[in-house]
Amino acid sequence: MGGSMFKELGNNRLSKVDYHYLDVFFCGLSHFPDRINLTYVHGLLTAVISAPTLIPPNEWINIILSKEPKFENVIQAEKVMGLMIELYSQIVRQLKGEEPFKILYWNSSLNKEQEHSQEWLLVDWCAGYLAGQQLDPLWGTDSSARAMLTPFQVLAKEKSFVGQCDSQGRIILDDAPFITEYQTHLHDFVLDIYAYWLHEREEDVKLKLNCLQSSSVSKITHPHQEDITWH
C-alpha cells in the first residue's frame, strides 16, 4: 500500500483542517505508551527524510499507526493514509529547499486536556525526531552525527547538562540557557543534519534503484523463477 501511494505524491499543501484531522486521529491512538500528536509525527517524519538511508514507508507507517492499525471505516483509513503521505511529501519539498522549511507546532483545541504549551510542543517535536532517527542504525555509527543530535536530546528532555562542568570548569546548575539557545537554532540544526547525510542518502537511493532494475531484468529473463528475498 505504501509503495503504490508514493507513486501518486502530489504538491498539495495541507490545510489547517487537515492538520486538525490528523492531530485528532493521532491523539486517539492507544498503542503509544506516551504522547503522540501531529507535532510528534512531524518531527518523526523530518528525521526519517533526513536519515542516511531511504527508510521504506511501511517502516515509519507501522511505527506511527502500529502494524495492525484500527480505523473506523475504509473512508477514514484512506483519508488518514492520504494525509500522512501528503505530510511526508510536504516535508520532503521543504527540506529540499523547494519551499521554506517550517517546524510544525500544532496545538489542537479538541479539548483542554489535550492542549499543550509551546514548551511541551517543542518537547514533542524533538522526541518525535529522535524516534525517527532510531529507525536508521547507520545514524549511530557516526560520532559527528550523534553529536549533532545533542540539541534534540536536550530539548526533548532526554539529556541534561546539570551537574557537568562548563568550558570554564563551573558546575552547570540549569539547562535553561542551553534550551533557549538550541530552540533558537533548531531550524538550522534540522537543515544541517539533512545536508550532512545528503551524499549517503543519494548513494543509497542509487543502490536500491540498481537492485530493483536487476531484479526486474532477472524476472524477465527467468519468468518462472520465484521472487528473490533480500536479506
Side-chain angles (χ1 to χ4, degrees):
M1 178 167 56
S4 61
M5 294 183 72
F6 263 66
K7 295 178 181 178
E8 302 173 2
L9 282 179
N11 292 318
N12 298 328
R13 292 186 179 181
L14 299 185
S15 66
K16 291 183 178 180
V17 174
D18 295 328
Y19 287 148
H20 180 75
Y21 186 91
L22 281 176
D23 191 54
V24 171
F25 178 81
F26 292 144
C27 288
L29 295 176
S30 60
H31 64 279
F32 266 81
D34 200 358
R35 60 186 177 272
I36 177 174
N37 49 34
L38 176 59
T39 297
Y40 179 98
V41 172
H42 188 274
L44 186 149
L45 292 180
T46 302
V48 164
I49 296 165
S50 304
T53 59
L54 184 64
I55 299 175
N58 63 294
E59 290 191 21
W60 54 262
I61 288 174
N62 287 343
I63 291 294
I64 298 171
L65 300 182
S66 82
K67 293 183 179 180
E68 297 181 0
K70 296 180 181 179
F71 298 102
E72 293 180 358
N73 48 51
V74 175
I75 295 176
Q76 184 190 51
E78 290 180 346
K79 183 166 185 177
V80 169
M81 294 299 295
L83 290 176
M84 283 178 59
I85 296 302
E86 286 298 342
L87 179 61
Y88 180 99
S89 178
Q90 179 173 288
I91 299 171
V92 168
R93 296 196 302 272
Q94 292 180 357
L95 290 175
K96 290 173 65 177
E98 297 174 6
E99 300 174 8
F101 175 73
K102 297 179 180 180
I103 295 174
L104 181 61
Y105 300 123
W106 185 258
N107 196 349
S108 174
S109 58
L110 178 62
N111 61 54
K112 293 298 180 181
E113 293 181 358
Q114 290 180 335
E115 288 191 8
H116 281 49
S117 67
Q118 182 69 22
E119 176 187 358
W120 281 103
L121 287 173
L122 175 64
V123 172
D124 288 345
W125 194 90
C126 290
Y129 190 94
L130 293 173
Q133 165 264 322
Q134 292 173 4
L135 292 177
D136 192 335
L138 186 59
W139 210 311
T141 65
D142 187 300
S143 59
S144 296
R146 291 198 304 271
M148 294 171 77
L149 292 173
T150 297
F152 299 84
Q153 294 167 335
V154 173
L155 292 173
K157 299 188 183 299
E158 296 184 11
K159 182 183 180 70
S160 174
F161 294 121
V162 174
Q164 299 181 30
C165 294
D166 62 17
S167 58
Q168 298 179 352
R170 296 172 300 189
I171 300 297
I172 298 173
L173 302 176
D174 192 353
D175 285 323
F178 299 98
I179 291 174
T180 299
E181 179 183 356
Y182 292 159
Q183 182 177 2
T184 301
H185 298 289
L186 182 58
H187 178 277
D188 296 329
F189 294 151
V190 172
L191 296 182
D192 287 345
I193 291 179
Y194 179 81
Y196 183 82
W197 288 120
L198 181 60
H199 176 72
E200 285 77 4
R201 201 160 46 245
E202 290 177 341
E203 291 301 312
D204 182 65
V205 170
K206 291 178 183 178
L207 178 61
K208 286 183 170 64
L209 286 175
N210 289 335
C211 289
L212 286 173
Q213 292 172 353
S214 299
S215 177
S216 299
V217 171
S218 177
K219 288 180 180 180
I220 294 173
T221 308
H222 308 284
H224 300 295
Q225 183 179 353
E226 296 183 356
D227 291 344
I228 299 174
T229 301
W230 297 97
H231 298 284

